[in-house]
Amino acid sequence: MNGFLAAAVIALGAGQGGKAGAQNLIAEVLCGAQDEIHAKLTRQFGVVKTGAGLRGPEAVMELWTNPANGDWTLVQSYAEGRVCILAMGDYWEMTAPDPTPQSPKG
């Protein structure tokens, strides 16, 4: 996944004007316009949105996965249109929920 993250940093940072400074680079590379980030995730990395959940009135958490190789990306989308990549990893596996959840011990 380190190669995937490096590619994402390069691909997402390419249009950012190359500003110096680690703090600025992280903020600019991992966040961007929703259309731009979603298009790059889909087109360049082959991931598709496989899940989403409301985080609050202004944000949605999205899980993007690549069914061919198991890469995954956790994205947070904000109501105003900004999107941030929060985490990436390898070997995503879909699991079925346990039909009989354990009750909390108390």
Side-chain angles (χ1 to χ4, degrees):
M1 180 47 64
N2 290 336
F4 179 74
L5 180 56
V9 168
I10 291 167
L12 295 174
Q16 299 297 323
K19 294 180 183 176
Q23 233 175 355
N24 289 342
L25 178 64
I26 291 171
E28 290 179 6
V29 168
L30 298 178
C31 294
Q34 182 177 4
D35 291 345
E36 176 186 327
I37 300 293
H38 286 182
K40 287 184 184 220
L41 287 169
T42 301
R43 189 174 52 248
Q44 293 181 354
F45 303 113
V47 294
V48 294
K49 186 164 47 170
T50 54
L54 190 60
R55 184 161 190 254
E58 300 293 321
V60 173
M61 298 300 293
E62 302 171 346
L63 178 65
W64 293 67
T65 60
N66 183 323
N69 65 14
D71 288 348
W72 60 267
T73 305
L74 182 62
V75 174
Q76 182 162 302
S77 293
Y78 296 93
E80 84 276 355
R82 192 176 98 225
V83 172
C84 295
I85 295 174
L86 302 179
M88 296 175 169
D90 293 318
Y91 307 111
W92 184 262
E93 181 180 325
M94 296 299 287
T95 59
D98 185 355
T100 55
Q102 300 281 330
S103 61
K105 295 180 181 179

